[in-house]
Amino acid sequence: MNTSHTQDVRHWLLGLQQRITDTVESLDGQAKFLRDEWRKAPGEPLQGDGITKIMEGGAVFERAGCGFSHVRGPRLPPSATQHRPELAGAPFEAMGVSLVFHPLNPYVPTVHMNVRMIAAGYPGTEPVCWFGGGMDLTPYYGFDEDCQHFHRVCHDSLKAFGDDKYPRFKRWCDDYFFNKHRNEPRGIGGIFYDDFSEGGTDNGFALMRSVGDAFLDAYVPIVQRRVGMAWGEREREHQLYRRGRYVEFNLVWDRGTHFGLQSGGRTESILLSMPPRVAWAYQRQPEPGTPEAALTERYLKPRDWV
């Protein structure tokens, strides 16, 4: 990937991070993002820099993390070469924006979004460039209109890139964000894609921009609809318990977490997706007929929401 194109991607990613965090601060109305600029020290296996933004203790968001990183390394970690074995051990460059927002109100869903670019190649060869990312929603209490809205925006963000993209990326999301050890989806899905290089670098970058630009339209209306709903100890206990499943996925199955840790990334930034409070309970089962039971019976089932 040439230097000018790398800088174009970097510039857009930094602007995306700023737009999202500005909007979330305004939505919260109380807390502000702490801006933590970092740079890898000389001599470390991974070089590069980034900006981690974290907001805690807000009126709407208990914890919201949004990070930008741009790193270079001498060899791709195993998590990045599962589908590209010919690049095993090749030098690489990776950049992206990743976010997870954990609201305080249990009726407001947790959300994740990530867009990224990776370029790799051996010296003297043309680098191979691919893109990945997507967004997905993890409610603790299900509402059909929220699921429909989120998926409709995801669908529309991919419309210009072919009719196959939304159904294909939706299935990919359903399959990927799945706790295999629980035989259970993490949430109601969205879109996910990885190792995407169809149509060349320009097309991959355009798709990444469309997905990233759609995030606020997908999530903010849902927050605004649910944030005023009354909740109490019962709803809070259910939220903390379900957050445990979120943590399990991120630590056990998530390739992004594994990539960051295996490549020598910045641990504090990699783990910004963790909620501030979480709970586990032995064989907890919701009472039949309750909204808590409806989450697993109706909403944690892959379905067509568009």
Side-chain angles (χ1 to χ4, degrees):
M1 192 173 185
N2 63 57
T3 302
S4 63
H5 213 143
T6 301
Q7 290 305 310
D8 288 344
V9 176
R10 179 186 172 98
H11 178 76
W12 179 80
L13 287 168
L14 285 168
L16 177 68
Q17 183 191 37
Q18 189 66 49
R19 282 185 282 128
I20 289 173
T21 54
D22 284 350
T23 300
V24 170
E25 275 191 0
S26 177
L27 188 61
D28 188 271
Q30 175 176 296
K32 300 292 184 182
F33 277 95
L34 168 69
R35 178 186 174 98
D36 182 16
E37 297 188 39
W38 55 268
R39 182 175 295 276
K40 301 295 288 185
E44 292 192 45
L46 205 63
Q47 293 299 299
D49 65 298
I51 301 170
T52 298
K53 293 188 175 184
I54 190 80
M55 182 171 75
E56 296 183 298
V60 176
F61 295 99
E62 190 170 14
R63 191 170 201 240
C66 183
F68 162 80
S69 64
H70 183 184
V71 297
R72 301 168 190 85
R75 61 185 61 84
L76 279 167
S79 58
T81 57
Q82 293 178 9
H83 304 295
R84 298 177 184 272
E86 73 279 6
L87 291 174
F92 73 95
E93 180 174 10
M95 66 179 78
V97 165
S98 181
L99 64 83
V100 175
F101 298 157
H102 291 289
L104 179 62
N105 188 324
Y107 288 107
V108 182
T110 285
V111 72
H112 158 259
M113 192 275 290
N114 170 263
V115 284
R116 60 190 178 274
M117 180 278 297
I118 300 177
Y122 292 100
T125 65
E126 185 71 21
V128 177
C129 180
W130 64 97
F131 297 82
M135 63 181 102
D136 64 286
L137 197 70
T138 304
Y140 305 104
Y141 290 90
F143 299 92
D144 283 18
E145 62 179 320
D146 295 351
C147 301
Q148 291 161 0
H149 169 81
F150 191 82
H151 275 272
R152 192 176 304 114
V153 175
C154 287
H155 171 275
D156 292 349
S157 74
L158 299 171
K159 192 182 302 183
F161 301 91
D163 293 339
D164 66 307
K165 297 301 184 296
Y166 171 75
R168 183 172 139 204
F169 292 176
K170 179 195 181 297
R171 285 193 302 272
W172 204 339
C173 187
D174 289 339
D175 292 342
Y176 180 78
F177 291 104
F178 190 86
N179 268 322
K180 300 178 183 67
H181 62 292
R182 299 281 190 181
N183 194 32
E184 179 184 85
R186 187 173 80 172
I188 59 97
I191 53 175
F192 175 80
Y193 64 101
D194 203 3
D195 297 300
F196 185 83
S197 57
E198 298 169 21
T201 299
D202 288 341
N203 188 61
F205 184 26
L207 189 147
M208 180 173 78
R209 292 197 305 270
S210 187
V211 170
D213 290 341
F215 169 73
L216 290 173
D217 290 338
Y219 186 57
V220 170
I222 295 173
V223 177
Q224 292 171 329
R225 245 192 324 259
R226 303 299 163 204
V227 71
M229 295 181 67
W231 56 277
E233 183 178 349
R234 169 179 170 164
E235 290 82 6
R236 178 63 163 170
E237 287 182 358
H238 176 68
Q239 177 197 47
L240 296 182
Y241 171 69
R242 292 303 312 179
R243 278 182 180 176
R245 303 297 173 90
Y246 200 93
V247 170
E248 287 176 22
F249 177 86
N250 281 19
L251 295 181
V252 176
W253 301 108
D254 186 59
R255 283 179 61 190
T257 302
H258 297 169
F259 176 89
L261 297 176
Q262 290 173 2
S263 62
R266 188 170 185 264
T267 301
E268 285 295 311
S269 298
I270 295 164
L271 298 180
L272 63 76
S273 64
M274 296 296 106
R277 294 186 61 196
V278 64
W280 281 267
Y282 184 71
Q283 294 189 343
R284 175 172 175 160
Q285 296 294 330
E287 291 291 327
T290 62
E292 292 80 11
L295 177 71
T296 52
E297 293 170 359
R298 172 169 174 76
Y299 293 95
L300 298 188
K301 308 281 186 185
R303 65 174 63 225
D304 182 7
W305 288 107
V306 175

